[in-house]
């Protein structure tokens, strides 16, 4: 049953029909019977999805809406907004995942019957998964309260938005201004939170688990679910095809991709590294959970307890559902700013993982001056990150581990030197790891990882491990070499944890006695304390680089194109990529999905810089587009005239975002001929559109001359040689930069003689 209230934008129509947005604009102008807008704005109208489907089908432009696309359009056009729709879909998927036969009974009959029966069915799933508090409906029957609990009963002061990185900031502050139990929901008195085992309570005391007065997820009511009934039926149909977990990941991934500026995501490789540094843990807390990447990385066994909190109510609810679907762990999700309104004040976790918000001045400095969490000193107003560090330590059991992603300034700002000094003296800060540029947002600075331990006793001779893996940064924005980063960091960390003296690794890792850092600055930046990379053989290495550069320059000279002979301008009959695709001469695909397998990803920057595949994509149920030798890959952003022919070494990589793959039929098109003509400046100019800040290429409008295959191959061979010359030039440039930098370093550190 199609939901007539569901609306779709012009971009959604283009996706349904597999065309560009320009085609949709043309249809609106040329066809008087094209559906009229039913919402949106004059510049960005929206249309009724059912009317659009009917019109497309009548015009022969759509045989059948793909199930995934239909469900996504229902979700994105939901009358209560996509977040509410996604929350309702997640609740249903959890029911299907845990009790599939119950859904078959609930879904029989009308939408009204479904909406009345579903809350009771969900209650049977919510209670064992999230605790009794979650099974309380958000409002009495007949009301239209939001599906997630967004505010406590009483707030003591206006709060400031401190949404962590990776969250959507709520429109109004939802947390109380002081870090004390606030107005308790009546249901909380009846259904107290389940206790934590005494093994995780402070020594000698049995305390209940975190008193979660603001659970992230509340049971939706029947009236709230009624508008979502058509969507829920489509979601269930999609789950039968993909599976409940995969369906939620697909819908959530689409939502995150559609709102990239509202979310700061923690990359999966970084999350896995942080979880490995923390080690095995039964109880894990993320006080600024965002989309749950860190807790997903830490969830490795079914007997775990995952505690998540986020100041954005929508995100907290979605992450709670995501964790419940992805793991069999018990999930305790909560809404609120963890510094001002800690939902887990009595928790003593085995591990705390956190990607906190950076550079927050309104983190609660004035309200929290006497908070007991500040064991290592009261953080300055400009040191919000040190408040998160101490919050993490306060929620760890003795000997528990914490790993926080930190801005590099937190290691050296003078305003935080006293807290850093006390963390060092008492053995709470065990390691500072400088990551490569591009490891996580903001991608333009090398972030740090701080590894913490809640001290059981003062160390006899405290040391701190300093690691710098900045050398493993990738080219452009392709991201670092995560395999090398992971191996270097974990190897240094494991050796540091063993008895005996840590062997210094020049330029990479060093265990430094704490006393050597306790000066006026207490500067913990690893680069300032690590010895330079070993200089033994430095001159010999520079000689080898010089010889390699000479060989490359000679090859470049040999590949230099011959003198260009003048010719009259050719007047070939032309065709376009779009026409060739419709005629079957080539296949056109766009990238951006991760698929199931973790394979190297070819990014737009890899194509622009001629580099090997270096990117990553989140796992997705949509199949990744895998490259094959002979494919031609074209970036669509940036305005450059670039096309790359995939060779045997690059084949098999997944196609990244902002790339279009053209797979020519070898009986009709030569790939080098295709790539060469696509690089023409005039060709790119006529196929590009311009926005205020970017240039976008419409690949379908790129033109090619109609030439016989033999003639194509003549041109293709010339283009192939030009490409080889270009790659040699690029390689020579890199070697030249390496030689120049090595000479400067050698002359300034005395390892290279000036004569």
């Amino acid at each position: 049953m199609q939901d007539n209230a569901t609306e779709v934008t012009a971009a959604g129509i283009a996706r349904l029909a597999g065309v560009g947005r320009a085609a949709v604009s043309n249809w609106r102008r040329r066809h008087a019977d094209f559906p009229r807008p039913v919402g949106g704005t004059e510049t960005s109208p929206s249309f009724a999805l059912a009317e659009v489907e009917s019109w497309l089908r009548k015009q022969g432009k759509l045989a059948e809406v793909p199930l995934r696309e239909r469900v996504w359009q229902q979700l994105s056009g939901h009358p209560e907004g996509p977040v509410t729709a996604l929350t309702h879909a997640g609740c249903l998927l959890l029911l299907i995942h845990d009790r599939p036969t119950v859904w078959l009974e609930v879904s029989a009959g009308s939408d009204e019957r479904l909406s009345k029966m579903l809350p009771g069915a969900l209650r049977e799933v919510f209670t064992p998964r999230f605790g009794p508090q979650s099974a309380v409906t958000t409002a009495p029957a007949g009301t239209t309260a939001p599906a997630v609990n967004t505010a406590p009963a009483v707030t003591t002061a206006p709060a400031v938005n401190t949404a962590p990185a990776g969250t959507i900031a709520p429109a109004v502050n939802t947390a109380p201004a002081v870090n004390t139990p606030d107005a308790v929901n009546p249901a909380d008195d009846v259904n107290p939170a389940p206790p934590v085992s005494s093994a995780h309570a402070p020594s000698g005391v049995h305390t209940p688990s975190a008193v979660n007065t603001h659970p992230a997820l509340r049971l939706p009511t029947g009236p709230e679910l009624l508008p979502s009934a058509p969507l829920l039926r489509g979601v269930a149909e999609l789950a039968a095809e993909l599976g409940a977990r995969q369906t939620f990941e697909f819908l959530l991934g689409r939502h995150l991709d559609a709102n990239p500026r509202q979310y700061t995501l923690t990359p999966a490789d970084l999350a896995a590294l942080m979880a490995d540094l923390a080690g095995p843990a039964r109880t894990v807390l993320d006080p600024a959970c965002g989309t749950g990447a860190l807790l997903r990385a830490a969830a490795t066994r079914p007997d775990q307890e995952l505690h998540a909190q986020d100041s954005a109510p929508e995100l907290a609810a979605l992450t709670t559902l995501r964790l419940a679907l992805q793991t069999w762990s018990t999930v305790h999700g909560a809404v609120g700013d963890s510094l001002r309104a800690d939902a887990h004040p009595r928790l003593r976790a085995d591990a705390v993982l956190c990607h906190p918000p950076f550079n927050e001045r309104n983190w609660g400095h004035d309200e929290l001056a006497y908070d007991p969490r500040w064991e290592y000193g009261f953080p300055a107003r400009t040191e919000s990150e040190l408040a998160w560090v101490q919050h993490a330590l306060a929620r760890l059991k003795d000997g528990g581990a914490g790993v926080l992603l930190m801005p590099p300034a937190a290691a050296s700002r003078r305003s935080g030197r006293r807290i850093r000094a006390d963390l060092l003296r008492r053995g709470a800060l065990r390691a500072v790891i400088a990551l490569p540029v591009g490891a996580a947002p903001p991608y333009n600075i090398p972030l740090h990882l701080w590894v913490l331990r809640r001290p059981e006793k003062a160390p006899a001779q405290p040391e701190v491990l300093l690691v710098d893996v900045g050398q493993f940064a990738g080219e452009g924005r392709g991201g670092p070499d995560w395999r090398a980063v992971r191996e270097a960091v974990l190897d240094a960390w494991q050796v540091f944890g063993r008895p005996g003296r840590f062997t210094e690794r020049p330029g990479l890792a060093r265990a430094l006695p704490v006393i050597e850092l306790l000066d006026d600055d207490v500067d913990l930046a690893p680069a300032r304390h690590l010895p330079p990379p070993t200089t033994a053989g430095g001159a010999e290495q520079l000689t080898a680089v010089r010889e390699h550069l000479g060989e490359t320059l000679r090859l470049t000279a040999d590949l230099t194109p011959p003198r260009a002979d003048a010719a009259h301008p050719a007047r070939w009959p032309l065709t376009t990529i779009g026409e060739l695709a419709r005629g079957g001469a080539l296949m056109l695909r766009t990238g951006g999905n991760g698929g199931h397998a973790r394979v190297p990803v070819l990014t737009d920057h890899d194509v622009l810089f001629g580099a090997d595949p270096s990117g990553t994509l989140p796992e997705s149920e949509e199949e990744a587009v895998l490259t094959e030798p002979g494919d031609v890959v074209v970036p669509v952003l940036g305005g450059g005239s670039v096309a790359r022919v995939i060779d045997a070494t690059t084949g098999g990589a997944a196609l990244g975002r902002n790339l279009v793959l053209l797979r020519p039929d070898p009986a009709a098109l030569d790939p080098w001929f295709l790539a060469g003509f696509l690089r023409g400046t005039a060709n790119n100019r006529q196929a590009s559109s311009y926005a205020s800040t970017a240039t976008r290429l419409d690949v379908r409008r790129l033109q090619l001359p109609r030439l016989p295959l033999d003639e194509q191959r003549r041109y293709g061979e010339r283009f192939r040689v030009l490409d080889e010359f270009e790659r040699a030039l690029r390689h020579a440039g890199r070697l030249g930069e390496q030689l120049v930098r090595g000479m400067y370093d050698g002359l300034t550190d005395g390892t290279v003689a000036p004569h």
Side-chain angles (χ1 to χ4, degrees):
M1 176 178 176
Q2 178 63 58
D3 180 8
N4 291 324
T6 300
E7 298 176 9
V8 62
T9 63
I13 297 173
R15 194 180 296 113
L16 282 171
V19 298
R21 291 189 61 177
V24 178
S25 299
N26 288 336
W27 293 343
R28 291 185 63 194
R29 288 195 301 268
R30 296 176 181 176
H31 298 276
D33 61 340
F34 191 87
R36 300 296 179 189
V38 296
T41 64
E42 184 175 346
T43 57
S44 181
S46 58
F47 307 83
L49 177 59
E51 295 179 9
V52 169
E53 286 185 34
S54 176
W55 186 87
L56 290 173
R57 197 171 285 113
K58 184 174 65 175
Q59 294 289 326
K61 303 179 186 300
L62 180 70
E64 181 58 48
V65 181
L67 178 58
R68 296 186 188 197
E69 198 59 46
R70 174 161 56 87
V71 171
W72 167 248
Q73 294 298 344
Q74 286 179 310
L75 187 146
S76 60
H78 193 281
E80 297 299 324
V83 173
T84 296
L86 191 52
T87 304
H88 291 176
C91 292
L92 170 67
L93 290 168
L94 186 60
L95 175 65
I96 293 174
H97 179 265
D98 287 7
R99 303 189 179 185
T101 57
V102 175
W103 164 249
L104 297 177
E105 179 183 350
V106 169
S107 60
S110 66
D111 290 351
E112 288 75 12
R113 179 181 181 274
L114 183 153
S115 63
K116 289 179 181 179
M117 294 188 64
L118 189 54
L122 290 175
R123 182 178 288 108
E124 299 303 315
V125 175
F126 274 35
T127 300
R129 281 305 204 112
F130 309 121
Q133 290 174 318
S134 65
V136 179
T137 54
T138 58
T143 66
T144 56
V148 272
N149 180 24
T150 60
V154 178
T155 55
T156 59
V160 182
N161 172 22
T162 58
T167 67
I168 331 172
V172 292
N173 183 5
T174 61
V178 292
N179 185 30
T180 56
D182 49 334
V184 179
N185 189 306
D188 297 337
D189 294 331
V190 180
N191 300 307
V196 171
S197 87
S198 57
H200 299 279
S203 178
V205 181
H206 180 79
T207 60
S209 176
V211 180
N212 183 3
T213 57
H214 304 299
L217 199 63
R218 294 280 191 173
L219 190 68
T221 64
E224 292 165 359
L225 290 169
L226 182 57
S228 300
L231 166 68
L232 297 181
R233 295 186 188 277
V235 167
E237 187 180 351
L238 187 58
E241 179 182 307
L242 301 179
R245 293 177 178 178
Q246 293 82 355
T247 298
F248 189 74
E249 284 300 305
F250 161 69
L251 295 174
L252 178 61
R254 271 285 188 94
H255 176 68
L256 296 178
D257 288 343
N259 301 276
R261 295 185 179 181
Q262 294 182 338
Y263 302 92
T264 302
L265 306 180
T266 306
D269 290 304
L270 175 58
L273 175 61
M274 293 173 68
D276 287 341
L277 287 168
R282 196 183 76 83
T283 56
V284 188
L285 167 69
D286 184 348
C289 64
T291 58
L294 295 175
L295 290 174
R296 289 179 71 206
T300 57
R301 58 194 213 206
D303 64 336
Q304 286 176 299
E305 291 187 15
L306 305 180
H307 297 262
Q309 184 167 351
D310 200 279
S311 61
E314 313 92 340
L315 204 54
L318 295 178
T319 296
T320 300
L321 286 166
R322 187 184 200 187
L323 292 171
L325 280 163
Q326 290 289 327
T327 74
W328 285 105
S329 305
T330 303
V331 181
H332 303 283
V335 175
D337 172 10
S338 290
L339 295 183
R340 284 190 171 91
D342 183 11
H344 309 290
R346 299 178 185 174
L347 177 66
R348 297 296 178 264
D350 296 308
V352 174
L353 303 174
C354 187
H355 178 173
F358 297 159
N359 304 319
E360 290 285 335
R361 289 183 176 267
N362 296 316
W363 56 268
H365 177 272
D366 296 337
E367 307 98 296
L368 303 174
Y370 301 102
D371 196 287
R373 289 173 290 181
W374 315 141
E375 296 180 50
Y376 302 88
F378 181 41
R381 190 182 302 276
T382 57
E383 294 289 350
S384 62
E385 295 87 6
L386 294 182
W388 286 99
V389 165
Q390 295 192 73
H391 173 77
L393 286 166
R395 294 297 158 262
L396 286 170
K397 72 175 186 179
D398 290 347
V403 184
L404 277 74
L405 186 65
M406 302 283 280
S412 55
R413 281 191 297 241
R414 288 188 61 81
S415 54
R417 65 189 186 279
R418 293 182 180 176
I419 294 177
R420 292 196 298 271
D422 207 29
L423 290 168
L424 291 172
R425 287 191 195 97
R426 296 169 61 180
L429 180 58
R430 304 296 295 130
V432 177
I433 301 163
L435 297 170
V437 171
Y443 290 106
N444 60 331
I445 59 174
L447 300 176
H448 288 180
L449 291 178
W450 285 24
V451 184
L452 312 171
R453 280 276 191 273
R454 173 111 185 141
E456 298 180 87
K457 58 181 180 179
Q461 293 181 330
E463 289 186 329
V464 64
L465 176 66
L466 301 178
V467 180
D468 189 342
V469 287
Q471 61 187 288
F472 301 119
E475 292 188 6
R477 292 185 302 180
D481 181 348
W482 278 112
R483 178 176 298 178
V485 169
R486 181 185 181 87
E487 290 176 355
V489 169
L490 293 181
D491 181 60
W493 175 244
Q494 290 163 4
V495 173
F496 177 69
R498 298 171 191 155
R501 185 172 180 80
F502 183 87
T503 302
E504 189 174 278
R505 305 175 187 189
L508 182 64
R510 181 184 184 188
L512 201 63
V514 164
I515 191 66
E516 295 187 23
L517 294 168
L518 297 179
D519 54 16
D520 288 341
D521 294 324
V522 196
D523 191 333
L524 306 182
R528 294 195 174 98
H529 301 284
L530 292 176
T534 180
T535 55
E540 289 81 0
Q541 184 178 3
L542 289 176
T543 301
V545 172
R546 185 177 182 278
E547 292 175 355
H548 192 184
L549 174 61
E551 294 172 2
T552 305
L553 289 175
R554 286 190 290 272
L555 174 63
T556 305
D558 293 340
L559 292 171
T560 301
R563 182 173 59 87
D565 296 327
H568 294 292
R571 298 190 179 279
W572 297 299
L574 298 176
T575 185
T576 65
I577 294 296
E579 291 171 350
L580 290 170
R582 287 191 291 272
L586 58 80
M587 182 176 68
L588 187 149
R589 301 287 300 276
T590 57
N593 299 313
H596 296 282
R598 305 300 296 170
V599 297
V601 175
L602 187 70
T603 69
D604 53 348
H605 279 71
D606 297 333
V607 175
L608 292 170
F609 291 105
D612 292 334
S614 63
T616 59
L617 287 170
E619 291 189 27
S620 167
E621 284 308 307
E622 293 190 71
E623 291 298 324
V625 178
L626 300 182
T627 60
E628 297 178 2
D631 290 344
V632 177
V633 177
V634 183
V636 297
L637 294 181
S641 302
V642 179
R644 177 170 175 176
V645 178
I646 300 299
D647 56 20
T649 60
T650 312
L655 194 67
R657 294 185 176 90
N658 302 320
L659 291 175
V660 171
L661 179 145
L662 305 175
R663 182 165 294 161
D665 179 352
L669 280 174
D670 179 79
W672 286 105
F673 165 81
L674 173 62
F677 274 95
L678 294 187
R679 293 190 59 171
T681 301
N683 200 4
N684 274 259
R685 188 176 297 152
Q686 64 84 27
S688 296
S689 59
Y690 304 92
S692 57
T693 59
T695 303
R696 186 172 187 88
L697 181 69
D698 185 351
V699 175
R700 292 175 179 271
R701 291 171 55 191
L702 289 169
Q703 296 178 337
L704 285 178
R706 295 181 181 272
L707 296 178
L709 191 56
D710 289 343
E711 188 72 3
Q712 291 182 31
R713 288 170 178 158
R714 285 184 56 228
Y715 276 97
E717 178 59 21
R718 188 69 181 270
F719 287 137
R720 187 194 63 76
V721 173
L722 275 175
D723 179 80
E724 191 175 355
F725 173 64
E726 183 181 35
R727 285 188 283 114
L729 281 176
R730 189 181 289 120
H731 185 50
R734 285 196 290 262
L735 288 171
E737 291 176 2
Q738 184 180 348
L739 179 61
V740 169
R741 173 48 52 198
M743 289 295 295
Y744 271 110
D745 290 344
L747 288 167
T748 55
D749 65 18
T751 59
V752 173
H755 55 76

